[in-house]
Amino acid sequence: MIIGQPQVVSRLRRDQVCQIEADHRLHTLTTLSTNERQKILKQQPHVVNMIIGQPQVVSRLRRDQVCQIEADHRLHKLTTLSTNERQSTNDPVNKRETKNSEATAACSQHDNRPATSSESTEKRSSMSDTSRPQTVPHQSTSHAAHEEERLDSEASDTVSYGNSTPEMYSDSESSCQSLTNSPAWNGPHIPKSKPPASGASQGKGAPIQQLNRMPDCLPLFPTLHATKTRTVLIRTDTIKEDRVPSPHPNSYEDLWDVEHVRMPCSEENLYPVETPNGRKELKKRWEVIKTSLIRKNLSGYNFEETILTYNSRFSQKWNFDALYTLFNEIFASEETKKVFSTVMPGMVQLALELPHICTQPIPLLKKQQEHSITLSQKQVACLLANAFFCTYPKRNATQKHTQYSTYPSINFNTLFQGFGDNELARKAEKLKCIFHYFRRVISDMPTGTVTFKRQVIKEKDFPRWDKSSMPLDGIRIHMASDGTIEDDGTGMLEVDFANKILGGGVLGQGCVQEEIRFLICPEMIVSRLFTEQLDKNECLIMTGCERYSNYAGYADSFEWESDHQDKTIRDPWGRRCTEVVAIDATRFGSHTEQFRGSQVIRELNKAYCGFYSSRGTKREHLPAIATGNWGCGAFGGDSRLKAFIQIMAAVEAGRDMCYFTFGDKRVLNDVYDTYELLKKKKRTVGDLFLQIQHYNKSLSRFFRPQQNLCEFIWKAFGVVNNSSTDKDRQDYNHGNSSPRQSRLTDDTNEGTSVDPPTNCCSSSPGPSS
């Protein structure tokens, strides 16, 4: 192990490096003699601040990372000791790895750091994080493949993750110092099943029927027309309930530049083809695509060959095992024949009509540029058909310096491939959703429109959270442990628990809240074609996307269930009154990290960006927010904290809220009862923010948190909780995501107030943070 691996250290967050180093040095330093220990500490004085064991970090890392980092940090120590001392130094890593093997394997699925060469065959799952296929170094087998690589200007042969790893720290304070007292945490909690349907309980708070919904609450609509910040790809005078809107303009216009989607049918899209005399010449790639899709009668035997005809450079990289599993093992033979005899020919025809359906250049929704795109549902179906047949140029590699390194993947090749039974089964269910969507639109093309809007809020326009005087009782809130956003939040502003790379792992292994929403509403997938990854002050609002499928299960148990007939009313622009906002939470590696001032402000600003209405609409015309445990699954968020963050943002945005706890009744009771207490005490958004910061200050005093956020607030107001149990406390101290069930006593005595920590709103928190 005595080989330095600095490249691994450079990929990890500073807190992880420091915690792992502290953990692995602890045994060595405590077993040496005083003189030897003092010698090491004198040579490396920074170790003094790190002698606190952090085994929970080891349990979250892959085995090779633990070993490599340990080797790197032990190198100096072991070479300075005598032979006997070196041989007597016990290595605690193997014991921990054995003990935590299950946790390590589970969390490595969600790891989105760049892969090393030793990981090239490791299977990974995005879990609402970006998923890319693992590849082996490419070796071109023909001159045509080399020429295609040159045309695509892709500098590397292996597909990398680009900048998809979320930036975890923006504070100037050392992450090592601030997280040395982090509690033991078992990692993210992923629900295993879909919560029960609404109606099993009445919920708490305002009746759900009283909350604003579209279209009843909407004001008069302005006329739809194109502007500098709004692109309209259809003729607005042709929006009718019984006909498909006509494209605008009438004939195809092409722009092959960095500001627009590079279309497969572009005249500039060239491809090297071998002629009968053995020479290579450049031809229009669209002609190659049309020839391949039309001449060959697509079947389960030649589908792969057809796709690789115009993607030859990936012939040694792509596999289609998930697709074959669906056709050969899951679908009955008659169902497979029906797909290739009816659905697939319709998809080919729809894809090849691209230059006649999408006639206007499609702008890219770039960072820090507020813009919207309105398309017909037929245009969306055409674009998705091309994604299914993998026709989009320059979208198959995401190296850091390529044009689309900060964009999601759009070609479906990652959905077709599979490694292992679990991944194959999951992707087969995803493909059922996709084929069902195409079956529906081919047999009966929908006549509506959809809009994708990138919303940006400048930093100066965000609320000053510690100074906010907005009363917490300014909105109505309904909370329930049963029901789901997509089933019971119809007509509200529905929250997509997004990855900053839109859609997360919908075309990979991911299958949680965002991915499931994109699968039952496949029109959302087209946002990946033109939406750059989200910044911290941005969100994406998707209006009018229709739902086509019902589902059962969640994550590994997800299954396509049945057809769904969406009866949602359309607005004057032809869109279903379904508005979904994608907001991305921060991914936390430590439970206490998220309570730091800068992290809380980041999440507050992100939620506010999603809830804010840029139209200046009055409160009575704003639909309520339908949301839940945002960022509390694979991203490791605290469900109570995230609930209060969204409540605070909703108050500032002036919207009512419907909150679904995904079957967690303890979170429901804790959050709602605490919210009622704060309302009773006439507290404001600023007061709640300062309470959260004071709770953060208390966390630095304990190795494990002695109370959750709700308990802390109750005690701050002198409220006694008589229903807590030893088992509840044990669950919370071990990172259990299910908190204790509690009730508030009717105590009018406010008790001793707490002083807020200093610099609680600073971007660089003080030592208490």
Side-chain angles (χ1 to χ4, degrees):
M1 296 168 56
I2 310 305
I3 297 176
Q5 299 291 344
Q7 69 275 17
V8 178
V9 178
S10 67
R11 292 203 310 275
L12 293 176
R13 298 192 303 276
R14 289 182 296 171
D15 67 299
Q16 289 182 323
V17 174
C18 295
Q19 288 171 325
I20 295 167
E21 180 180 4
D23 186 51
H24 293 305
R25 287 192 175 207
L26 182 61
H27 177 81
T28 301
L29 292 174
T30 54
T31 55
L32 300 180
S33 66
T34 302
N35 292 335
E36 291 162 341
R37 187 161 56 249
Q38 290 178 349
K39 181 179 179 181
I40 292 177
L41 295 179
K42 183 177 180 180
Q43 294 172 341
Q44 303 178 33
H46 67 280
V47 176
V48 177
N49 296 325
M50 300 169 53
I51 309 305
I52 297 179
Q54 299 291 346
Q56 71 277 10
V57 179
V58 177
S59 68
R60 295 200 307 274
L61 295 177
R62 294 193 303 273
R63 183 172 188 172
D64 64 304
Q65 289 181 323
V66 174
C67 296
Q68 289 172 320
I69 294 168
E70 181 184 11
D72 188 48
H73 290 301
R74 286 196 171 201
L75 181 60
H76 174 75
K77 293 181 298 178
L78 294 179
T79 53
T80 57
L81 301 180
S82 67
T83 301
N84 293 335
E85 290 165 340
R86 201 158 48 237
Q87 292 176 347
S88 63
T89 301
N90 294 323
D91 185 359
V93 177
N94 291 334
K95 294 181 180 180
R96 284 197 194 93
E97 286 174 352
T98 303
K99 182 178 180 180
N100 296 297
S101 59
E102 293 183 3
T104 305
C107 291
S108 67
Q109 290 181 353
H110 314 312
D111 188 3
N112 64 338
R113 288 179 288 273
T116 62
S117 59
S118 65
E119 298 167 307
S120 60
T121 59
E122 181 181 349
K123 180 177 69 177
R124 57 173 83 213
S125 170
S126 65
M127 287 298 184
S128 63
D129 212 345
T130 304
S131 180
R132 301 279 189 247
Q134 285 293 329
T135 63
V136 295
H138 172 59
Q139 295 179 351
S140 300
T141 56
S142 66
H143 175 77
H146 281 295
E147 188 64 21
E148 183 186 0
E149 267 187 80
R150 184 188 65 78
L151 291 171
D152 280 353
S153 300
E154 294 167 340
S156 174
D157 290 323
T158 56
V159 179
S160 73
Y161 287 79
N163 296 323
S164 62
T165 303
E167 183 63 31
M168 303 299 295
Y169 291 97
S170 57
D171 297 332
S172 58
E173 183 187 7
S174 169
S175 302
C176 164
Q177 180 180 354
S178 65
L179 291 177
T180 53
N181 291 312
S182 298
W185 185 48
N186 290 338
H189 171 72
I190 309 297
K192 301 299 183 184
S193 61
K194 183 180 178 181
S198 62
S201 67
Q202 298 299 317
K204 290 190 172 187
I208 193 172
Q209 297 83 2
Q210 294 182 5
L211 303 184
N212 285 355
R213 294 178 188 257
M214 299 182 290
D216 297 336
C217 69
L218 293 179
L220 293 176
F221 259 72
T223 304
L224 175 62
H225 61 277
T227 66
K228 290 183 178 180
T229 59
R230 182 193 301 148
T231 298
V232 182
L233 301 183
I234 55 173
R235 287 177 50 191
T236 57
D237 61 328
T238 63
I239 299 177
K240 307 291 182 182
E241 186 175 351
D242 58 347
R243 60 175 292 186
V244 175
S246 301
H248 174 75
N250 293 328
S251 58
Y252 178 74
E253 295 180 359
D254 182 39
L255 283 177
W256 185 267
D257 59 30
V258 296
E259 301 296 329
H260 297 83
V261 175
R262 297 182 189 266
M263 299 292 277
C265 55
S266 171
E267 296 286 329
E268 302 294 327
N269 187 18
L270 303 178
Y271 189 80
V273 176
E274 186 173 347
T275 61
N277 59 8
R279 300 177 62 109
K280 304 294 187 301
E281 64 179 29
L282 296 179
K283 287 189 175 182
K284 296 177 182 178
R285 192 170 186 235
W286 185 242
E287 296 300 322
V288 179
I289 292 172
K290 288 197 298 183
T291 302
S292 300
L293 294 179
I294 293 175
R295 284 186 179 179
K296 296 182 179 179
N297 185 16
L298 286 180
S299 68
Y301 300 102
N302 64 13
F303 183 85
E304 177 178 354
E305 177 188 352
T306 302
I307 300 300
L308 292 177
T309 301
Y310 45 87
N311 290 288
S312 60
R313 66 168 298 204
F314 301 103
S315 60
Q316 303 300 318
K317 297 180 180 181
W318 293 359
N319 77 64
F320 294 75
D321 291 352
L323 199 65
Y324 295 148
T325 298
L326 178 67
F327 292 146
N328 300 330
E329 300 179 18
I330 298 178
F331 275 170
S333 58
E334 291 300 320
E335 181 68 15
T336 298
K337 290 179 182 178
K338 187 176 180 180
V339 168
F340 283 103
S341 64
T342 305
V343 181
M344 202 72 76
M347 293 170 62
V348 170
Q349 181 180 355
L350 189 60
L352 297 184
E353 289 180 355
L354 180 63
H356 307 292
I357 296 177
C358 299
T359 57
Q360 184 178 163
I362 302 175
L364 296 172
L365 299 183
K366 292 189 153 188
K367 290 182 180 181
Q368 304 302 321
Q369 297 179 17
E370 188 161 296
H371 198 90
S372 69
I373 303 173
T374 298
L375 316 87
S376 70
Q377 289 181 277
K378 183 175 182 179
Q379 288 174 324
V380 172
C382 176
L383 294 171
L384 288 178
N386 276 276
F388 183 89
F389 293 117
C390 306
T391 67
Y392 290 103
K394 297 183 176 293
R395 300 301 291 265
N396 295 322
T398 56
Q399 289 77 18
K400 187 173 182 179
H401 300 293
T402 57
Q403 178 183 348
Y404 294 104
S405 62
T406 55
Y407 287 79
S409 61
I410 185 61
N411 290 326
F412 277 33
N413 59 286
T414 52
L415 185 57
F416 299 151
Q417 67 185 17
F419 304 94
D421 293 342
N422 183 58
E423 181 181 354
L424 291 172
R426 182 181 289 191
K427 287 187 174 179
E429 296 300 323
K430 291 185 176 186
L431 286 166
K432 287 182 183 180
C433 297
I434 298 301
F435 281 121
H436 178 71
Y437 162 74
F438 281 116
R439 183 183 294 113
R440 281 273 307 272
V441 298
I442 289 169
S443 61
D444 185 16
M445 182 62 66
T447 60
T449 63
V450 295
T451 297
F452 298 90
K453 178 184 178 182
R454 190 183 193 105
Q455 180 161 287
V456 184
I457 295 184
K458 296 180 180 179
E459 294 293 332
K460 65 181 182 65
D461 295 329
F462 283 115
R464 179 64 187 267
W465 299 102
D466 64 325
K467 303 295 184 182
S468 174
S469 60
M470 295 292 292
L472 290 170
D473 61 359
I475 62 173
R476 295 173 294 181
I477 293 181
H478 174 84
M479 295 189 70
S481 60
D482 50 23
T484 60
I485 295 171
E486 64 272 12
D487 291 331
D488 303 283
T490 305
M492 301 181 186
L493 177 64
E494 304 172 45
V495 178
D496 164 23
F497 306 161
N499 190 290
K500 68 177 181 179
I501 299 289
L502 261 295
V506 63
L507 300 182
Q509 298 183 62
C511 200
V512 287
Q513 198 260 10
E514 178 176 44
E515 288 87 355
I516 291 175
R517 190 59 193 263
F518 274 54
L519 291 168
I520 64 176
C521 306
E523 289 164 342
M524 294 181 182
I525 298 177
V526 82
S527 65
R528 296 168 63 90
L529 177 64
F530 43 71
T531 307
E532 192 172 12
Q533 69 182 27
L534 300 176
D535 268 347
K536 61 182 180 180
N537 62 329
E538 299 177 316
C539 67
L540 185 75
I541 302 173
M542 300 171 280
T543 306
C545 295
E546 189 168 335
R547 179 175 173 180
Y548 293 87
S549 297
N550 294 318
Y551 72 97
Y554 196 82
D556 286 337
S557 63
F558 171 80
E559 292 180 351
W560 179 86
E561 190 172 59
S562 61
D563 175 58
H564 179 89
Q565 293 293 327
D566 197 333
K567 302 297 184 183
T568 308
I569 298 174
R570 297 187 185 274
D571 65 20
W573 290 7
R575 306 174 301 185
R576 298 279 184 192
C577 289
T578 300
E579 194 171 44
V580 178
V581 59
I583 52 175
D584 56 301
T586 301
R587 185 169 190 162
F588 295 107
S590 163
H591 185 69
T592 57
E593 175 189 350
Q594 60 196 293
F595 295 95
R596 300 173 63 182
S598 58
Q599 299 289 10
V600 174
I601 291 175
R602 189 273 179 196
E603 302 296 82
L604 282 166
N605 289 345
K606 175 63 72 167
Y608 178 79
C609 179
F611 300 165
Y612 174 77
S613 175
S614 61
R615 297 191 297 266
T617 308
K618 295 181 179 179
R619 288 193 174 194
E620 58 266 27
H621 296 307
L622 290 174
I625 302 160
T627 187
N629 300 331
W630 169 54
C632 297
F635 280 16
D638 181 273
S639 52
R640 295 169 184 77
L641 174 63
K642 279 299 199 292
F644 287 128
I645 283 175
Q646 293 181 87
I647 289 172
M648 295 161 69
V651 170
E652 285 286 348
R655 291 183 187 262
D656 296 336
M657 176 177 285
C658 184
Y659 196 98
F660 302 98
T661 64
F662 215 89
D664 197 330
K665 294 182 179 180
R666 292 178 174 179
V667 169
L668 165 66
N669 294 325
D670 267 12
V671 173
Y672 181 78
D673 291 347
T674 305
Y675 173 68
E676 285 296 305
L677 172 67
L678 293 168
K679 285 170 57 179
K680 181 178 180 180
K681 302 298 183 181
K682 305 297 182 183
R683 291 312 187 212
T684 65
V685 169
D687 294 332
L688 179 53
F689 177 83
L690 294 177
Q691 288 288 345
I692 294 172
Q693 287 310 286
H694 203 52
Y695 176 68
N696 173 62
K697 182 178 180 180
S698 74
L699 293 179
S700 65
R701 302 171 186 171
F702 308 102
F703 177 69
R704 298 174 185 267
Q706 302 301 300
Q707 56 195 349
N708 64 42
L709 177 60
C710 291
E711 281 184 319
F712 181 85
I713 294 174
W714 298 333
K715 291 183 180 179
F717 290 111
V719 178
V720 179
N721 172 25
N722 296 321
S723 61
S724 63
T725 66
D726 292 338
K727 182 180 185 301
D728 290 328
R729 181 171 300 281
Q730 184 180 9
D731 287 344
Y732 184 74
N733 285 342
H734 284 80
N736 194 313
S737 63
S738 297
R740 76 199 65 176
Q741 187 172 358
S742 307
R743 293 292 185 271
L744 294 176
T745 61
D746 186 14
D747 189 348
T748 57
N749 180 19
E750 184 170 322
T752 305
S753 61
V754 293
D755 296 326
T758 58
N759 300 326
C760 61
C761 280
S762 172
S763 61
S764 299
S768 63
S769 295

